[in-house]
Structures are given as structure tokens and as C-alpha cells.
């Protein structure tokens, strides 16, 4: 049986390779997709446990029961804002369900600070699985 990873933000799917950060564009952290957000709310794409909230609120990690890890990262170089314009709705160790609110961010703050607002969803531990993880995972973007 496969795993479905729901859409994390309202917005349009964009080509990851077009992102202005080599780490994301070349998928160095793992297989990924990216969105141009229409609003500043991030929702859990899966059921799982929060394993990491970056102190500035721009990234969150979730581990599913089967071991698949998903990282959601908001913005390129958004860490430079030091948390300005970000809010978290969860903490490390929280259990979440698909559709639970995780993060909020202010698109205007990102724009005013010349921060690319792309939202990237990354399967960070695909290499530990013996089979091609993408054959088991369906990422919904509609």
C-alpha cells in the first residue's frame, strides 16, 4: 500500500529545479516538490509526529509511523528573518493528522525583505528505504 502526502499550502506547483538555491534545486536533501503560495498557512501533509521545528519557525519536520520523514521549508534564505513574520502552531513531539495547521507566515514580510516565498516539501530519508520511495509515495498537489 502506498503513502499519500497531501498538499501543504494553497498555491501553484512550481519546478523545484528553478529555485534560486542549489540545495533545493538539485534535491540535495531528498526528493521534493515546491509551491508558490497563495497564502501563509502550512498544513500537515501526513499523519505523524513533529520531529523538528526550526527556532525561527520557517521549517518543520514530520516522521510518519512507517519511518518516512517529510520536511516542509518556507522560503529561500528565510532563516535570515530570525523568526520575523513566522508563527508556529505545533511543537516538537506533537502528534499531527493530515490537515492540521503547522505554521503561519506573512507573505508581505517575505516580500518586503526580498525573500523568495517558495514552500518546499522534501522526503528527507528516501535513501534509507530499499525500494524507490517515490514508487510508494503519491504527492498530491491539487
Amino acid at each position: 500500500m502506498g503513502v499519500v502526502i497531501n498538499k501543504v499550502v494553497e498555491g501553484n506547483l512550481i519546478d523545484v529545479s528553478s529555485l534560486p538555491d542549489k540545495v533545493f534545486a538539485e534535491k540535495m536533501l531528498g526528493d521534493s516538490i515546491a509551491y508558490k503560495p497563495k497564502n501563509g498557512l502550512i498544513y500537515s501533509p501526513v499523519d505523524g509526529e513533529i520531529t523538528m521545528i526550526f527556532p525561527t519557525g520557517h521549517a518543520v519536520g514530520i516522521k510518519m509511523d512507517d519511518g518516512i520523514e517529510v520536511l516542509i521549508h518556507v522560503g529561500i534564505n528565510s532563516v535570515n528573518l530570525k523568526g520575523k513574520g513566522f508563527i508556529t502552531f505545533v511543537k516538537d513531539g506533537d502528534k499531527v493528522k493530515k490537515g492540521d495547521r503547522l505554521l503561519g507566515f506573512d507573505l508581505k514580510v517575505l516580500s518586503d525583505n526580498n525573500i523568495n516565498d517558495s514552500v518546499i516539501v522534501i522526503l528527507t530519508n528516501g535513501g534509507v528505504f530499499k525500494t524507490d520511495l517515490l514508487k510508494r509515495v503519491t504527492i498530491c498537489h491539487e
Side-chain angles (χ1 to χ4, degrees):
M1 186 170 151
V3 175
V4 175
I5 296 180
N6 285 355
K7 189 173 183 178
V8 300
V9 66
E10 286 300 317
N12 298 317
L13 196 62
I14 59 174
D15 184 359
V16 172
S17 67
S18 72
L19 295 175
D21 184 312
K22 186 176 181 178
V23 171
F24 297 120
E26 295 182 8
K27 299 184 180 182
M28 292 180 186
L29 298 177
D31 287 313
S32 56
I33 61 170
Y35 298 94
K36 173 71 173 162
K38 291 183 181 176
N39 66 40
L41 288 174
I42 301 294
Y43 298 94
S44 182
V46 297
D47 297 343
E49 181 177 340
I50 301 297
T51 57
M52 182 273 309
I53 295 277
F54 205 85
T56 58
H58 76 281
V60 59
I62 306 167
K63 185 174 186 176
M64 295 186 283
D65 288 341
D66 64 1
I68 296 172
E69 296 175 358
V70 178
L71 175 67
I72 303 163
H73 191 281
V74 178
I76 306 293
N77 296 322
S78 52
V79 68
N80 296 335
L81 294 175
K82 299 179 181 172
K84 181 180 176 185
F86 289 90
I87 185 171
T88 59
F89 301 110
V90 292
K91 62 186 181 318
D92 286 349
D94 283 355
K95 300 287 186 186
V96 294
K97 297 282 186 193
K98 288 181 182 181
D100 286 353
R101 201 169 47 161
L102 303 177
L103 305 174
F105 61 100
D106 188 326
L107 287 165
K108 183 169 178 4
V109 170
L110 272 62
S111 176
D112 288 350
N113 287 277
N114 297 313
I115 301 290
N116 179 302
D117 63 5
S118 298
V119 174
I120 305 106
V121 181
I122 308 156
L123 301 175
T124 56
N125 67 339
V128 303
F129 291 89
K130 298 292 184 210
T131 59
D132 182 359
L133 184 58
L134 289 181
K135 290 181 181 171
R136 292 182 46 211
V137 174
T138 301
I139 300 176
C140 297
H141 51 80
E142 292 301 322

